[in-house]
Amino acid sequence: MATPLLKSGQDPASQADEPTSPVARFGPDAALAMDAGVDLAPWQIAYQTAGTLNAARSNAVLVCHALTGDQHFASTHPVTGKGGWWDRLVGPGKPVDTDRYFVICANVVGSCMGTTGPASLNPGTGRAYGLDFPLVTIRDMVRGQAMLLDRLGIKDLFLCIGGSMGGMQVLQWAASYPERVFAAMPIATGARHSAQNIAFHEVGRQAILADPNWHGGRYLDVGTRPAKGLGVARMGAHITYLSEPALHRKFGRRLQDRDAPTFSFDADFQIESYLRHQGITFVERFDANAYLYLTRAMDYFDLAADHGGVLANAFRGTRTRFCIVSFTSDWLFPTADSRAIVHALNAAAAPVAFVEVESDKGHDAFLLDEPAMISAAKGFIAAAARERGL
Amino acid sequence: MATPLLKSGQDPASQADEPTSPVARFGPDAALAMDAGVDLAPWQIAYQTAGTLNAARSNAVLVCHALTGDQHFASTHPVTGKGGWWDRLVGPGKPVDTDRYFVICANVVGSCMGTTGPASLNPGTGRAYGLDFPLVTIRDMVRGQAMLLDRLGIKDLFLCIGGSMGGMQVLQWAASYPERVFAAMPIATGARHSAQNIAFHEVGRQAILADPNWHGGRYLDVGTRPAKGLGVARMGAHITYLSEPALHRKFGRRLQDRDAPTFSFDADFQIESYLRHQGITFVERFDANAYLYLTRAMDYFDLAADHGGVLANAFRGTRTRFCIVSFTSDWLFPTADSRAIVHALNAAAAPVAFVEVESDKGHDAFLLDEPAMISAAKGFIAAAARERGL
């Protein structure tokens, strides 16, 4: 029903027989109760696993992916051919050790890599949902993951871990299902999206909506894709994932394969060429409506607002142990956002470690080879494993 | 020839009889020698003045406008109906005192408020230039202003002042015509554009180029305007003019005229509504191609590169006195950029004062009521006036 990758003009339904990962399907008896007030059914969730579930079923780890991530955290991506997006942190002998833990990562509800989202077939109309798909929240994503774990016979998680939008899911897991999360590690994230972050997302959405090939969200019906709008959205977002020092170090004002500016609107500077490439490659693997939905889910996220305006209330009585990680040069989710989480956990008397990693790589540092992050994860997870008796 | 405001589908030439300010016209005998290697002729420059030139012609002040600014620095804007964009700093009794000084502000070459730019009529084709207009540099803008001053019989400036792209022009003036600038005050600017700033500009340009109504830059010929693309470009840029604290204070996560999110892609948050408004009002007063050209001019600006890679070389032997101003929350032109200018001026043994203004208003602070900036300007200009014997 949902599509691993949508190609222009192709009926989404026709791709159902090309699964790139296992899929759990849920019928009308197992609708997904969404915050928008809709019971979504049928629906499905695509996932990947690595490692082996132990006999006690006590070694499960849930990896939560970021906005444009997917379930291919530790295996080759079916579209890009690249390795797993978190193979620096997850794998044999890595902090999330697939020799010791059973690791699951599921494509979130509203996305486009096999889980039901706006590009999926709407059984009520026989066409893709488009904007008829209900708005998705971080809580809906987590509900969907919980139903997947139920299906897999996993009662509780040894660890829930993720960065950025993945970190929001980790926080939501700890708040919604405290008894199911032994240890939680939200990285480079916040308990709510700031006005500036909402602003950047809104610009990206408007870029998509401005593309005439978007057709009011019905582009799949007419065989087009708003590739230019989505490309512009990605280019703008990509700047926010990096940092000024990282951009300066990587590109500076260096010219692209030339000695002098061309006095034209060509990509004279390497940074321009790089950004255009980011835009072009992104649209090959991502659905524009899914981008609208997932950015909106992040904008709506405000864990304190869901708990009487007091973030600590989200965590009262929890027995989950936390490790919070931020990066000094992350200006999308600055350290202050992580500190607010730490303060709330302190107020809720929850066990919490906090690591601010010195890095000039910006928000994307959580995806990169950051030794201090990797050793923090290794230490926290090993200690939690001992406490868990693993 | 050039147009004060372009309306969709209107022949640019037909607006030549609607001047909103004085215009100096230059024929083939006074071509503008542009860095792109083109001698532009005929060409014209639109300007506004306030105050009176004294008998010694020693009290002239040049105000340089920013990217989307224009010559209406101290008088009502003909399109928006708003007051002068710098009436907090310029006017009777203000730091740039129009009771004492003769103040000039000219629309820069490449812009769209009466000075020749891409929307002007190309005499070679009888159509608007579009992308046939030569790429413009900051140095070209300053050359054009110098020719205007020659025409007005003004040999040298008591003061050259401006913020952002206006500050770049001030630096270029001091470098190109040191003997013509008695005092210089570049505000919230840098001697070169950073990789991150080039990146943001490139996203804006791509948003315009992605709009099918842009028509390869020939939209005036076919009676359209790339309003959506230009609007998206403006929205994105506008975020960079503010600061996270300012956005948080002004908007936070407050909803727009409603108690709960609508679970839709409407402008739920006030910040979304504000940004959309910024995009819509901007396209009413600005030409999309001019936006392409002026952002490119800023990207190309690198004063050190023009002087053997050593910024101090741009100012060797200068007798101009400088006052450099930055704002703590300006992340587009952070204080480090101003410090680099100060260090270069120190190395060139030029007299320089440096003021970092504590403000949470971001880059746009230079346009706002910032008492510390205004008193710094007052003190610097008054002292310079005494030295000048005014």
Side-chain angles (χ1 to χ4, degrees), chain B residues 35-269:
Chain B
D35 282 337
V38 173
D39 286 331
L40 185 70
W43 71 283
Q44 69 178 41
I45 187 164
Y47 62 99
Q48 281 286 9
T49 67
T52 310
L53 191 63
N54 64 13
R57 298 178 171 262
S58 63
N59 69 336
V61 172
L62 181 68
V63 168
C64 300
H65 71 71
L67 175 62
T68 66
D70 52 44
Q71 66 272 36
H72 302 286
F73 66 108
S75 54
T76 304
H77 194 279
V79 180
T80 66
K82 288 186 181 168
W85 57 265
W86 227 6
D87 55 11
R88 286 176 179 89
L89 206 76
V90 186
K94 300 287 170 70
V96 180
D97 190 343
T98 50
D99 289 340
R100 299 183 60 192
Y101 311 121
F102 178 59
V103 188
I104 309 144
C105 183
N107 189 218
V108 297
V109 172
S111 185
C112 52
M113 285 299 288
T115 296
T116 305
S120 301
L121 197 70
N122 179 349
T125 65
R127 302 184 305 173
Y129 276 103
L131 293 202
D132 294 335
F133 198 74
L135 257 277
V136 176
T137 65
I138 300 291
R139 197 154 51 179
D140 294 330
M141 297 174 191
V142 166
R143 270 195 209 104
Q145 290 160 342
M147 291 174 74
L148 170 65
L149 294 191
D150 291 343
R151 176 71 62 88
L152 297 176
I154 294 168
K155 206 168 144 253
D156 57 9
L157 294 168
F158 159 56
L159 172 69
C160 187
I161 187 171
S164 196
M165 190 183 86
M168 290 178 167
Q169 294 161 60
V170 174
L171 292 171
Q172 187 66 60
W173 260 99
S176 293
Y177 308 105
E179 72 291 351
R180 297 184 77 168
V181 184
F182 187 79
M185 192 164 173
I187 305 174
T189 195
R192 64 180 192 181
H193 225 208
S194 72
Q196 182 168 286
N197 288 357
I198 295 171
F200 276 118
H201 273 174
E202 172 66 3
V203 174
R205 286 191 294 261
Q206 290 299 322
I208 293 168
L209 269 55
D211 190 327
N213 283 337
W214 181 65
H215 288 287
R218 300 243 59 94
Y219 48 90
L220 293 172
D221 296 350
V222 294
T224 65
R225 293 184 78 184
K228 286 185 177 176
L230 182 60
V232 168
R234 175 65 167 181
M235 288 173 69
H238 201 78
I239 302 173
T240 70
Y241 302 153
L242 306 175
S243 71
E244 203 282 320
L247 284 167
H248 183 70
R249 179 166 38 77
K250 226 169 154 176
F251 306 105
R253 294 181 48 85
R254 283 188 293 281
L255 300 175
Q256 176 74 10
D257 303 330
R258 60 202 64 163
D259 297 326
T262 58
F263 282 97
S264 77
F265 294 107
D266 287 355
D268 266 353
F269 296 100

Side-chain angles (χ1 to χ4, degrees), chain A residues 181-349:
Chain A
V181 184
F182 187 79
M185 191 163 173
I187 305 174
T189 194
R192 65 179 192 181
H193 225 207
S194 72
Q196 183 168 284
N197 289 356
I198 295 171
F200 276 119
H201 273 175
E202 171 67 2
V203 174
R205 286 190 294 263
Q206 290 298 322
I208 293 168
L209 269 56
D211 190 327
N213 283 337
W214 181 65
H215 287 287
R218 300 242 58 94
Y219 50 90
L220 294 172
D221 297 350
V222 294
T224 65
R225 295 184 77 183
K228 286 184 177 177
L230 182 60
V232 168
R234 175 64 167 182
M235 288 174 68
H238 201 79
I239 302 173
T240 70
Y241 302 153
L242 305 175
S243 71
E244 203 283 319
L247 284 168
H248 183 70
R249 180 166 37 78
K250 227 169 152 175
F251 306 106
R253 294 180 49 84
R254 282 187 294 282
L255 300 174
Q256 176 74 9
D257 303 330
R258 61 202 64 161
D259 297 327
T262 59
F263 282 96
S264 76
F265 294 106
D266 288 353
D268 266 353
F269 296 100
Q270 288 180 10
I271 177 64
E272 296 176 301
S273 170
Y274 171 78
L275 277 184
R276 290 184 191 184
H277 175 76
Q278 292 296 327
I280 289 165
T281 55
F282 181 61
V283 302
E284 289 167 4
R285 70 175 178 89
F286 217 82
D287 173 58
N289 282 340
Y291 192 82
L292 298 179
Y293 277 78
L294 299 188
T295 53
R296 203 57 167 155
M298 291 180 76
D299 293 352
Y300 275 175
F301 188 61
D302 187 348
L303 201 49
D306 295 343
H307 292 84
V310 180
L311 186 56
N313 289 348
F315 305 115
R316 298 244 182 253
T318 187
R319 296 181 62 187
T320 305
R321 62 264 302 128
F322 290 84
C323 180
I324 314 291
V325 179
S326 72
F327 299 94
T328 50
S329 58
D330 183 352
W331 55 283
L332 201 61
F333 291 100
T335 290
D337 288 7
S338 283
R339 274 193 210 285
I341 300 167
V342 171
H343 290 163
L345 288 167
N346 285 337

Side-chain angles (χ1 to χ4, degrees), chain A residues 1-5 12-13 15-17 44 111-117 119-121:
Chain A
M1 180 171 61
T3 64
L5 173 72
Q15 300 198 343
D17 53 350
Q44 68 178 43
S111 186
C112 53
M113 285 298 288
T115 296
T116 306
S120 302
L121 198 71

Side-chain angles (χ1 to χ4, degrees), chain A residues 80-146:
Chain A
T80 66
K82 287 187 183 169
W85 56 265
W86 228 5
D87 55 12
R88 286 177 180 88
L89 206 74
V90 187
K94 298 288 168 71
V96 180
D97 190 343
T98 49
D99 289 339
R100 299 184 60 190
Y101 310 121
F102 179 60
V103 188
I104 309 145
C105 182
N107 190 219
V108 298
V109 173
S111 186
C112 53
M113 285 298 288
T115 296
T116 306
S120 302
L121 198 71
N122 179 349
T125 64
R127 303 184 305 171
Y129 277 103
L131 293 202
D132 293 335
F133 199 73
L135 257 275
V136 176
T137 66
I138 300 291
R139 197 155 51 180
D140 293 331
M141 298 175 191
V142 166
R143 271 195 208 103
Q145 291 160 343

